[in-house]
Amino acid sequence: MTQKKIPMRQCMGCRERKAKRELIRVVRSPEGIVSLDFKGKAPGRGAYLCPNPDCLKKAIRSKALERNLETAIPQEVLERLSQEMEANHEAERN
């Protein structure tokens, strides 16, 4: 029996390739709203990050998310993404 292919994606922060399920998707909806998509099913253009807040910081610093999502990301959205990721990271640790 053949093994099912595991979809791989590259983290925009550390640039490592990992299984899609291990990463968090940042999505720009068709309306232009940028948000975190923990399920990976939201419509729109996506970029992937490790569930590590450091990767988000690196991706913001290098403007990798803006390039990948093809849009300027407002500062308050970046702060919200950071808070959501911190909260998710804390929840997983407990």
Side-chain angles (χ1 to χ4, degrees):
M1 199 163 136
T2 59
Q3 199 174 6
K4 200 170 159 194
K5 191 169 177 281
I6 299 170
M8 301 295 279
R9 298 290 183 267
Q10 186 177 42
C11 171
M12 294 288 106
C14 64
R15 314 293 292 160
E16 277 183 39
R17 290 182 63 80
K18 297 185 177 178
K20 184 178 169 182
R21 301 184 132 203
E22 293 175 24
L23 301 171
I24 296 172
R25 185 169 179 247
V26 182
V27 66
R28 184 198 73 208
S29 69
E31 296 79 44
I33 298 160
V34 176
S35 62
L36 288 181
D37 174 20
F38 292 103
K39 300 237 186 306
K41 303 269 189 228
R45 183 163 182 83
Y48 292 84
L49 287 168
C50 294
N52 182 344
D54 294 338
C55 284
L56 177 62
K57 289 182 184 101
K58 282 183 200 164
I60 291 168
R61 211 173 313 127
S62 67
K63 300 236 185 280
L65 278 179
E66 293 190 355
R67 275 196 310 274
N68 208 286
L69 297 176
E70 299 172 348
T71 187
I73 303 173
Q75 189 58 42
E76 63 269 14
V77 172
L78 292 174
E79 287 167 12
R80 193 188 74 233
L81 293 178
S82 187
Q83 288 167 353
E84 282 182 44
M85 192 170 278
E86 289 280 357
N88 190 52
H89 194 64
E90 284 297 315
E92 282 187 0
R93 261 198 242 143
N94 296 337

Coordinates of all heavy atoms in Angstrom, one line a residue:
M1 N 0.8 -1.2 0.0 CA 0.0 0.0 0.0 C 0.9 1.2 0.0 O 1.8 1.3 0.7 CB -0.9 0.0 1.3 CG -2.1 0.9 1.1 SD -3.2 0.4 2.4 CE -3.7 2.0 2.9
T2 N 0.5 2.2 -0.8 CA 1.3 3.4 -0.9 C 1.0 4.4 0.2 O -0.2 4.5 0.6 CB 1.2 4.1 -2.3 OG1 -0.2 4.5 -2.4 CG2 1.6 3.3 -3.4
Q3 N 2.0 5.1 0.7 CA 1.7 6.1 1.8 C 1.2 7.4 1.2 O 1.6 7.8 0.1 CB 3.0 6.3 2.5 CG 2.8 6.9 3.9 CD 4.1 7.0 4.6 OE1 5.2 6.8 4.1 NE2 4.0 7.4 5.9
K4 N 0.3 8.0 1.9 CA -0.3 9.2 1.4 C 0.7 10.3 1.4 O 1.5 10.4 2.4 CB -1.5 9.6 2.3 CG -2.5 10.5 1.7 CD -3.7 10.7 2.5 CE -4.4 12.0 2.1 NZ -5.4 12.3 3.1
K5 N 0.7 11.2 0.4 CA 1.7 12.3 0.3 C 1.4 13.3 1.3 O 0.2 13.7 1.5 CB 1.7 12.9 -1.1 CG 2.8 13.8 -1.4 CD 2.9 14.1 -2.9 CE 3.9 15.1 -3.1 NZ 3.5 16.5 -2.8
I6 N 2.4 13.8 2.1 CA 2.1 14.8 3.1 C 2.4 16.2 2.5 O 3.6 16.4 2.0 CB 3.0 14.6 4.3 CG1 2.7 13.2 5.0 CG2 2.9 15.7 5.3 CD1 3.7 12.8 6.0
P7 N 1.4 17.1 2.4 CA 1.7 18.4 1.9 C 2.7 19.2 2.7 O 2.6 19.2 3.9 CB 0.4 19.1 1.8 CG -0.6 18.3 2.6 CD 0.1 17.0 2.9
M8 N 3.7 19.7 2.1 CA 4.8 20.5 2.8 C 4.6 22.0 2.4 O 4.3 22.3 1.3 CB 6.2 20.0 2.4 CG 6.4 18.5 2.7 SD 6.4 18.1 4.4 CE 8.1 18.6 4.8
R9 N 4.9 22.8 3.4 CA 4.9 24.3 3.2 C 6.1 24.9 3.9 O 6.7 24.3 4.8 CB 3.7 24.9 3.8 CG 2.3 24.4 3.2 CD 2.2 24.9 1.8 NE 0.9 24.6 1.2 CZ 0.7 23.5 0.5 NH1 1.7 22.6 0.3 NH2 -0.5 23.2 0.0
Q10 N 6.5 26.1 3.4 CA 7.7 26.7 4.0 C 7.3 27.8 4.9 O 6.4 28.6 4.6 CB 8.6 27.3 2.9 CG 9.9 27.9 3.3 CD 10.7 28.4 2.2 OE1 10.2 29.0 1.3 NE2 12.0 28.1 2.2
C11 N 7.9 27.8 6.1 CA 7.6 28.9 7.1 C 8.2 30.2 6.6 O 9.4 30.2 6.2 CB 8.2 28.5 8.5 SG 8.2 29.8 9.7
M12 N 7.5 31.3 6.7 CA 8.0 32.6 6.2 C 9.0 33.2 7.2 O 9.7 34.1 6.8 CB 6.8 33.6 6.0 CG 5.8 33.2 4.9 SD 6.5 33.4 3.3 CE 6.8 31.8 2.8
G13 N 9.1 32.6 8.4 CA 10.0 33.2 9.4 C 11.3 32.5 9.3 O 12.4 33.1 8.9
C14 N 11.4 31.2 9.6 CA 12.6 30.4 9.7 C 13.0 29.8 8.3 O 14.1 29.3 8.2 CB 12.6 29.4 10.8 SG 11.3 28.1 10.4
R15 N 12.1 29.9 7.3 CA 12.3 29.3 6.0 C 12.4 27.8 6.0 O 12.9 27.2 5.0 CB 13.5 30.0 5.3 CG 13.7 31.5 5.4 CD 12.6 32.3 4.7 NE 12.7 32.1 3.3 CZ 11.8 32.4 2.4 NH1 10.6 32.8 2.9 NH2 11.9 32.3 1.2
E16 N 12.1 27.1 7.0 CA 12.1 25.6 7.1 C 10.9 25.1 6.4 O 9.8 25.6 6.6 CB 12.2 25.1 8.5 CG 13.6 25.2 9.1 CD 13.6 24.6 10.5 OE1 12.9 23.6 10.7 OE2 14.3 25.1 11.3
R17 N 11.0 24.0 5.7 CA 9.9 23.3 5.1 C 9.4 22.3 6.2 O 10.1 21.5 6.7 CB 10.3 22.6 3.8 CG 10.6 23.6 2.7 CD 10.9 22.9 1.4 NE 9.8 22.1 0.9 CZ 8.8 22.6 0.2 NH1 8.6 23.8 0.0 NH2 7.8 21.7 -0.3
K18 N 8.1 22.3 6.4 CA 7.5 21.4 7.4 C 6.1 21.0 6.8 O 5.6 21.5 5.9 CB 7.2 22.2 8.7 CG 8.5 22.6 9.4 CD 8.3 23.2 10.7 CE 9.6 23.6 11.3 NZ 9.4 24.2 12.6
A19 N 5.6 19.9 7.5 CA 4.2 19.5 7.1 C 3.2 20.6 7.3 O 3.3 21.3 8.3 CB 3.9 18.2 7.9
K20 N 2.3 20.7 6.4 CA 1.3 21.8 6.4 C 0.6 21.8 7.7 O 0.3 22.9 8.2 CB 0.4 21.6 5.2 CG -0.7 22.6 5.0 CD -1.5 22.3 3.8 CE -2.7 23.2 3.7 NZ -3.6 22.9 2.6
R21 N 0.2 20.6 8.3 CA -0.5 20.6 9.5 C 0.2 21.2 10.7 O -0.4 21.6 11.7 CB -0.9 19.1 9.9 CG -1.7 18.5 8.8 CD -2.1 17.1 9.2 NE -3.5 17.0 8.9 CZ -4.3 16.2 9.5 NH1 -3.9 15.3 10.3 NH2 -5.6 16.1 9.1
E22 N 1.5 21.2 10.7 CA 2.3 21.8 11.8 C 2.4 23.3 11.8 O 2.9 23.9 12.8 CB 3.8 21.2 11.7 CG 3.9 19.7 11.9 CD 5.3 19.3 11.7 OE1 6.3 20.1 11.8 OE2 5.5 18.1 11.4
L23 N 2.0 23.9 10.7 CA 2.1 25.3 10.5 C 0.8 26.0 10.7 O -0.3 25.5 10.6 CB 2.7 25.6 9.1 CG 4.1 25.0 8.9 CD1 4.5 25.2 7.4 CD2 5.1 25.6 9.8
I24 N 0.9 27.3 11.0 CA -0.3 28.2 11.0 C -0.4 29.0 9.8 O 0.6 29.6 9.3 CB -0.2 29.1 12.3 CG1 -0.2 28.3 13.5 CG2 -1.4 30.1 12.3 CD1 0.1 29.1 14.8
R25 N -1.5 29.1 9.2 CA -1.7 29.8 7.9 C -2.1 31.2 8.3 O -3.1 31.5 9.0 CB -2.8 29.1 7.1 CG -3.0 29.7 5.7 CD -3.9 28.8 4.9 NE -4.1 29.3 3.6 CZ -5.3 29.7 3.2 NH1 -6.4 29.6 3.9 NH2 -5.5 30.2 2.0
V26 N -1.5 32.2 7.6 CA -1.9 33.6 7.7 C -2.6 33.8 6.3 O -2.0 33.5 5.3 CB -0.7 34.5 7.8 CG1 -1.1 36.0 7.9 CG2 0.1 34.2 9.1
V27 N -3.8 34.3 6.4 CA -4.6 34.4 5.1 C -5.0 35.8 4.9 O -5.4 36.6 5.8 CB -5.8 33.4 5.1 CG1 -6.8 33.8 6.2 CG2 -6.4 33.3 3.8
R28 N -5.0 36.2 3.6 CA -5.5 37.5 3.1 C -6.8 37.1 2.4 O -6.8 36.5 1.4 CB -4.6 38.2 2.2 CG -5.2 39.6 1.8 CD -4.5 40.2 0.6 NE -5.0 39.4 -0.6 CZ -4.3 39.3 -1.7 NH1 -3.1 39.7 -1.9 NH2 -4.8 38.6 -2.7
S29 N -7.9 37.5 3.0 CA -9.2 37.1 2.4 C -9.5 37.9 1.1 O -8.8 38.9 0.8 CB -10.4 37.5 3.4 OG -10.5 38.9 3.5
P30 N -10.4 37.5 0.3 CA -10.7 38.2 -1.0 C -11.1 39.7 -0.7 O -10.9 40.5 -1.5 CB -11.9 37.4 -1.5 CG -11.8 36.0 -1.0 CD -11.2 36.2 0.4
E31 N -11.5 40.0 0.5 CA -11.9 41.4 0.9 C -10.6 42.1 1.3 O -10.7 43.3 1.6 CB -12.9 41.4 2.0 CG -14.3 40.8 1.7 CD -14.3 39.3 1.7 OE1 -13.7 38.7 2.7 OE2 -14.8 38.7 0.8
G32 N -9.5 41.4 1.5 CA -8.3 42.1 1.9 C -8.0 42.1 3.3 O -7.1 42.8 3.8
I33 N -8.8 41.3 4.1 CA -8.6 41.2 5.6 C -7.5 40.2 5.9 O -7.6 39.0 5.4 CB -9.9 40.9 6.3 CG1 -10.9 42.1 6.0 CG2 -9.7 40.8 7.8 CD1 -12.3 41.7 6.2
V34 N -6.5 40.5 6.7 CA -5.4 39.6 7.0 C -5.7 39.0 8.4 O -6.0 39.8 9.3 CB -4.1 40.3 7.0 CG1 -3.0 39.3 7.4 CG2 -3.7 40.8 5.6
S35 N -5.7 37.7 8.5 CA -6.0 37.1 9.8 C -5.2 35.7 9.9 O -4.7 35.2 8.9 CB -7.5 36.9 10.0 OG -8.0 36.0 9.0
L36 N -5.2 35.1 11.1 CA -4.7 33.8 11.3 C -5.8 32.8 11.0 O -6.9 32.9 11.4 CB -4.2 33.6 12.7 CG -2.9 34.3 13.1 CD1 -2.5 34.0 14.6 CD2 -1.7 34.0 12.2
D37 N -5.4 31.7 10.3 CA -6.3 30.7 10.0 C -5.8 29.3 10.6 O -4.9 28.7 9.9 CB -6.4 30.6 8.5 CG -7.3 29.5 8.0 OD1 -8.1 28.9 8.7 OD2 -7.1 29.1 6.8
F38 N -6.2 29.0 11.8 CA -5.7 27.8 12.4 C -6.2 26.5 11.8 O -5.5 25.5 11.9 CB -6.1 27.8 13.9 CG -5.3 28.9 14.7 CD1 -6.0 30.1 15.0 CD2 -4.0 28.8 15.0 CE1 -5.4 31.1 15.7 CE2 -3.3 29.8 15.7 CZ -4.0 30.9 16.0
K39 N -7.3 26.5 11.1 CA -7.8 25.3 10.4 C -7.3 25.1 9.0 O -7.3 24.0 8.5 CB -9.4 25.4 10.3 CG -10.0 25.5 11.7 CD -11.0 24.4 11.9 CE -11.9 24.5 13.1 NZ -11.2 24.7 14.4
G40 N -6.8 26.2 8.4 CA -6.2 26.1 7.1 C -7.2 26.0 6.0 O -6.9 25.5 4.9
K41 N -8.4 26.4 6.2 CA -9.5 26.2 5.2 C -10.1 27.6 4.8 O -10.9 27.6 3.9 CB -10.7 25.4 5.9 CG -10.3 24.1 6.4 CD -10.4 23.0 5.3 CE -10.2 21.6 5.9 NZ -9.3 20.8 5.1
A42 N -9.7 28.7 5.3 CA -10.3 30.0 5.0 C -9.9 30.3 3.5 O -8.8 30.0 3.1 CB -9.8 31.1 5.9
P43 N -10.9 30.9 2.8 CA -10.6 31.3 1.4 C -9.6 32.5 1.4 O -9.6 33.3 2.2 CB -12.0 31.7 0.8 CG -12.8 32.1 2.0 CD -12.2 31.3 3.2
G44 N -8.8 32.5 0.3 CA -7.9 33.6 0.2 C -6.5 33.2 0.0 O -6.2 32.0 0.0
R45 N -5.6 34.2 -0.1 CA -4.2 33.9 -0.3 C -3.5 33.6 1.0 O -3.7 34.4 1.9 CB -3.5 35.1 -1.0 CG -2.1 34.9 -1.3 CD -1.6 35.8 -2.4 NE -0.2 35.6 -2.7 CZ 0.2 34.6 -3.5 NH1 -0.7 33.9 -4.2 NH2 1.5 34.4 -3.8
G46 N -2.8 32.5 1.1 CA -2.2 32.1 2.4 C -0.7 32.1 2.4 O 0.0 32.0 1.4
A47 N -0.1 32.3 3.6 CA 1.3 32.2 3.9 C 1.4 31.4 5.1 O 0.5 31.4 6.0 CB 2.0 33.5 4.0
Y48 N 2.5 30.7 5.3 CA 2.6 29.8 6.5 C 3.7 30.2 7.4 O 4.7 30.7 7.0 CB 2.8 28.3 6.0 CG 1.6 27.8 5.3 CD1 1.4 28.1 3.9 CD2 0.6 27.1 6.0 CE1 0.3 27.6 3.3 CE2 -0.5 26.6 5.3 CZ -0.7 26.9 4.0 OH -1.8 26.4 3.3
L49 N 3.4 29.9 8.7 CA 4.4 30.2 9.8 C 4.4 29.1 10.8 O 3.3 28.5 11.1 CB 3.9 31.5 10.6 CG 4.1 32.8 9.9 CD1 3.4 33.9 10.6 CD2 5.6 33.2 9.7
C50 N 5.5 28.9 11.4 CA 5.6 27.9 12.5 C 4.8 28.5 13.7 O 4.6 29.7 13.8 CB 7.1 27.8 13.0 SG 8.2 27.0 11.9
P51 N 4.3 27.7 14.6 CA 3.5 28.2 15.7 C 4.3 28.9 16.8 O 4.0 29.0 17.9 CB 2.8 27.0 16.3 CG 3.5 25.8 15.8 CD 4.3 26.2 14.5
N52 N 5.5 29.3 16.3 CA 6.5 30.0 17.2 C 6.4 31.5 17.0 O 6.6 32.0 15.9 CB 7.9 29.4 16.9 CG 8.9 30.0 17.8 OD1 8.7 31.0 18.5 ND2 10.1 29.4 17.8
P53 N 6.1 32.3 18.1 CA 6.1 33.8 17.9 C 7.3 34.4 17.3 O 7.3 35.4 16.6 CB 5.8 34.3 19.3 CG 5.2 33.1 20.0 CD 5.8 31.9 19.4
D54 N 8.5 33.7 17.5 CA 9.8 34.2 16.9 C 9.7 34.2 15.4 O 10.2 35.1 14.7 CB 11.0 33.4 17.4 CG 11.2 33.6 18.9 OD1 10.7 34.6 19.5 OD2 11.8 32.7 19.5
C55 N 9.1 33.2 14.8 CA 9.0 33.1 13.4 C 8.1 34.2 12.8 O 8.4 34.8 11.8 CB 8.4 31.8 12.9 SG 9.6 30.4 13.1
L56 N 7.1 34.6 13.5 CA 6.2 35.7 13.1 C 7.0 37.0 13.1 O 7.0 37.8 12.2 CB 5.0 35.9 14.0 CG 4.1 37.0 13.7 CD1 3.5 36.9 12.4 CD2 2.9 37.1 14.8
K57 N 7.8 37.2 14.2 CA 8.7 38.4 14.3 C 9.7 38.5 13.1 O 9.8 39.5 12.5 CB 9.4 38.4 15.6 CG 8.5 38.7 16.8 CD 9.3 38.7 18.1 CE 8.4 38.9 19.3 NZ 8.1 37.7 20.0
K58 N 10.3 37.3 12.8 CA 11.2 37.3 11.7 C 10.5 37.6 10.4 O 11.1 38.4 9.5 CB 11.9 35.9 11.6 CG 13.0 35.7 12.6 CD 13.6 34.3 12.3 CE 14.3 33.8 13.5 NZ 14.6 32.3 13.5
A59 N 9.3 37.1 10.2 CA 8.6 37.3 8.9 C 8.2 38.7 8.8 O 8.2 39.3 7.7 CB 7.4 36.4 8.9
I60 N 7.8 39.4 9.9 CA 7.5 40.8 9.9 C 8.7 41.6 9.6 O 8.6 42.5 8.7 CB 6.8 41.2 11.2 CG1 5.5 40.5 11.4 CG2 6.7 42.7 11.3 CD1 4.9 40.6 12.8
R61 N 9.8 41.3 10.2 CA 11.0 42.1 10.1 C 11.5 42.0 8.6 O 11.9 43.0 8.0 CB 12.1 41.6 11.0 CG 13.1 42.6 11.4 CD 14.1 42.2 12.5 NE 13.5 41.5 13.6 CZ 13.8 40.3 14.0 NH1 14.9 39.6 13.5 NH2 13.2 39.7 15.0
S62 N 11.5 40.8 8.0 CA 11.9 40.7 6.6 C 10.9 41.0 5.6 O 11.2 40.9 4.4 CB 12.4 39.2 6.4 OG 11.3 38.4 6.5
K63 N 9.7 41.4 6.0 CA 8.6 41.8 5.1 C 8.2 40.6 4.3 O 7.5 40.7 3.2 CB 8.9 43.0 4.2 CG 9.2 44.2 5.0 CD 8.3 45.3 4.6 CE 8.6 46.7 5.2 NZ 8.2 46.8 6.5
A64 N 8.5 39.3 4.7 CA 8.1 38.1 3.9 C 6.6 38.0 3.8 O 6.1 37.6 2.8 CB 8.8 36.9 4.6
L65 N 5.9 38.3 4.9 CA 4.4 38.1 4.9 C 3.8 39.1 3.9 O 2.9 38.7 3.1 CB 3.8 38.4 6.3 CG 3.9 37.2 7.3 CD1 3.2 37.6 8.6 CD2 3.1 36.0 6.7
E66 N 4.3 40.3 3.9 CA 3.7 41.3 3.0 C 4.0 40.9 1.5 O 3.1 41.0 0.7 CB 4.3 42.7 3.3 CG 3.9 43.3 4.6 CD 4.2 44.7 4.8 OE1 4.9 45.3 4.0 OE2 3.8 45.3 5.8
R67 N 5.2 40.4 1.2 CA 5.5 40.0 -0.1 C 4.6 38.8 -0.5 O 4.1 38.7 -1.6 CB 7.0 39.6 -0.2 CG 7.9 40.7 -0.5 CD 9.2 40.2 -1.0 NE 9.8 39.2 -0.1 CZ 10.5 39.4 1.0 NH1 10.8 40.7 1.4 NH2 11.0 38.4 1.7
N68 N 4.5 37.8 0.4 CA 3.8 36.6 0.1 C 2.3 36.9 -0.1 O 1.6 36.3 -0.9 CB 4.0 35.6 1.2 CG 3.9 34.2 0.6 OD1 2.8 33.7 0.4 ND2 5.0 33.5 0.4
L69 N 1.7 37.7 0.8 CA 0.3 38.0 0.7 C -0.1 39.1 -0.3 O -1.2 39.4 -0.5 CB -0.3 38.4 2.1 CG -0.2 37.2 3.2 CD1 -0.6 37.8 4.5 CD2 -1.0 36.0 2.8
E70 N 1.0 39.7 -0.9 CA 0.8 40.7 -1.9 C 0.0 41.9 -1.4 O -0.9 42.4 -2.1 CB 0.2 40.2 -3.2 CG 1.1 39.1 -3.8 CD 0.4 38.3 -4.9 OE1 -0.8 38.5 -5.1 OE2 1.2 37.6 -5.6
T71 N 0.2 42.3 -0.1 CA -0.5 43.5 0.4 C 0.3 44.1 1.6 O 1.1 43.4 2.2 CB -1.9 43.0 0.9 OG1 -2.6 44.2 1.3 CG2 -1.9 42.1 2.1
A72 N 0.1 45.4 1.8 CA 0.7 46.0 3.0 C -0.2 45.6 4.2 O -1.4 45.5 4.1 CB 0.7 47.5 2.9
I73 N 0.5 45.2 5.3 CA -0.2 44.7 6.5 C -0.2 45.8 7.5 O 0.9 46.2 8.0 CB 0.4 43.4 7.0 CG1 0.4 42.3 5.9 CG2 -0.4 42.9 8.2 CD1 1.1 41.0 6.3
P74 N -1.3 46.4 8.0 CA -1.3 47.4 9.0 C -0.7 47.0 10.3 O -0.8 45.8 10.7 CB -2.8 47.8 9.1 CG -3.5 47.1 8.0 CD -2.6 46.0 7.5
Q75 N -0.1 47.9 11.0 CA 0.6 47.6 12.3 C -0.4 46.9 13.3 O 0.0 46.0 14.0 CB 1.2 48.8 12.9 CG 2.1 48.6 14.1 CD 3.3 47.7 13.8 OE1 3.9 47.8 12.7 NE2 3.5 46.7 14.7
E76 N -1.6 47.4 13.4 CA -2.6 46.8 14.4 C -2.9 45.3 14.0 O -3.1 44.5 14.9 CB -3.8 47.6 14.5 CG -4.7 47.8 13.3 CD -4.4 49.0 12.4 OE1 -3.3 49.6 12.6 OE2 -5.2 49.3 11.5
V77 N -2.9 45.0 12.7 CA -3.1 43.6 12.3 C -1.9 42.8 12.7 O -2.1 41.7 13.3 CB -3.4 43.5 10.8 CG1 -3.4 42.1 10.3 CG2 -4.7 44.2 10.4
L78 N -0.7 43.3 12.5 CA 0.5 42.5 12.9 C 0.5 42.3 14.4 O 0.9 41.2 14.9 CB 1.8 43.3 12.5 CG 2.0 43.4 11.0 CD1 3.2 44.3 10.7 CD2 2.2 42.1 10.4
E79 N 0.1 43.3 15.2 CA 0.0 43.2 16.7 C -1.0 42.1 17.1 O -0.8 41.3 18.0 CB -0.3 44.5 17.3 CG 0.9 45.4 17.3 CD 0.6 46.9 17.7 OE1 -0.6 47.1 18.1 OE2 1.4 47.7 17.4
R80 N -2.2 42.1 16.4 CA -3.2 41.1 16.7 C -2.7 39.7 16.3 O -3.0 38.8 17.1 CB -4.5 41.5 15.9 CG -5.7 40.7 16.4 CD -6.9 40.8 15.5 NE -6.8 40.1 14.3 CZ -6.9 40.6 13.1 NH1 -7.2 41.8 12.9 NH2 -6.8 39.8 12.0
L81 N -2.1 39.6 15.2 CA -1.5 38.3 14.8 C -0.5 37.8 15.9 O -0.6 36.6 16.3 CB -0.8 38.3 13.5 CG -1.6 38.6 12.2 CD1 -0.7 38.7 11.0 CD2 -2.7 37.6 12.0
S82 N 0.3 38.7 16.4 CA 1.3 38.4 17.4 C 0.6 37.9 18.7 O 1.0 36.9 19.3 CB 2.2 39.6 17.7 OG 3.2 39.2 18.5
Q83 N -0.5 38.6 19.1 CA -1.2 38.3 20.3 C -1.9 36.9 20.2 O -1.8 36.1 21.1 CB -2.3 39.4 20.6 CG -1.6 40.6 21.2 CD -2.7 41.8 21.2 OE1 -3.8 41.7 20.7 NE2 -2.2 42.9 21.7
E84 N -2.5 36.7 19.0 CA -3.2 35.4 18.8 C -2.2 34.3 18.8 O -2.5 33.2 19.4 CB -3.9 35.4 17.4 CG -5.2 36.2 17.4 CD -5.9 36.1 16.0 OE1 -5.9 35.0 15.4 OE2 -6.3 37.2 15.5
M85 N -1.0 34.5 18.2 CA 0.0 33.4 18.2 C 0.5 33.2 19.6 O 0.7 32.0 19.9 CB 1.1 33.8 17.2 CG 2.0 32.6 16.9 SD 3.1 32.9 15.6 CE 2.1 32.6 14.2
E86 N 0.8 34.2 20.3 CA 1.3 34.1 21.7 C 0.2 33.3 22.5 O 0.6 32.3 23.2 CB 1.5 35.4 22.4 CG 2.7 36.2 21.9 CD 4.0 35.8 22.4 OE1 4.0 34.9 23.3 OE2 5.0 36.3 21.9
A87 N -1.1 33.6 22.4 CA -2.1 32.9 23.1 C -2.2 31.5 22.7 O -2.3 30.6 23.6 CB -3.5 33.6 22.9
N88 N -2.1 31.2 21.4 CA -2.1 29.8 20.9 C -0.9 29.0 21.4 O -1.0 27.9 21.8 CB -2.2 29.8 19.4 CG -2.5 28.5 18.8 OD1 -3.4 27.8 19.3 ND2 -1.7 28.0 17.9
H89 N 0.2 29.7 21.4 CA 1.5 29.1 21.9 C 1.4 28.7 23.4 O 1.8 27.6 23.8 CB 2.7 30.0 21.6 CG 4.0 29.4 21.7 ND1 4.4 28.4 20.9 CD2 5.0 29.6 22.5 CE1 5.6 28.0 21.2 NE2 6.0 28.8 22.2
E90 N 0.8 29.6 24.1 CA 0.7 29.4 25.6 C -0.3 28.2 25.8 O -0.1 27.3 26.6 CB 0.1 30.6 26.3 CG 1.2 31.7 26.5 CD 2.3 31.2 27.4 OE1 2.0 30.6 28.5 OE2 3.5 31.5 27.1
A91 N -1.4 28.2 25.1 CA -2.4 27.1 25.2 C -1.8 25.8 24.9 O -2.2 24.8 25.6 CB -3.6 27.4 24.3
E92 N -1.0 25.7 23.9 CA -0.4 24.4 23.5 C 0.6 23.9 24.6 O 0.8 22.7 24.7 CB 0.3 24.5 22.2 CG -0.7 24.5 21.0 CD 0.0 24.4 19.7 OE1 1.2 24.4 19.6 OE2 -0.8 24.4 18.7
R93 N 1.3 24.8 25.2 CA 2.2 24.5 26.3 C 1.6 23.9 27.5 O 2.1 23.0 28.2 CB 3.1 25.7 26.7 CG 4.4 25.7 26.0 CD 5.4 26.6 26.7 NE 5.7 27.7 25.8 CZ 5.9 28.9 26.1 NH1 5.8 29.3 27.3 NH2 6.3 29.8 25.2
N94 N 0.3 24.3 27.8 CA -0.4 23.9 29.0 C -1.1 22.6 28.8 O -1.5 22.2 27.8 CB -1.3 25.0 29.5 CG -0.5 26.2 30.0 OD1 0.7 26.1 30.3 ND2 -1.1 27.4 29.9

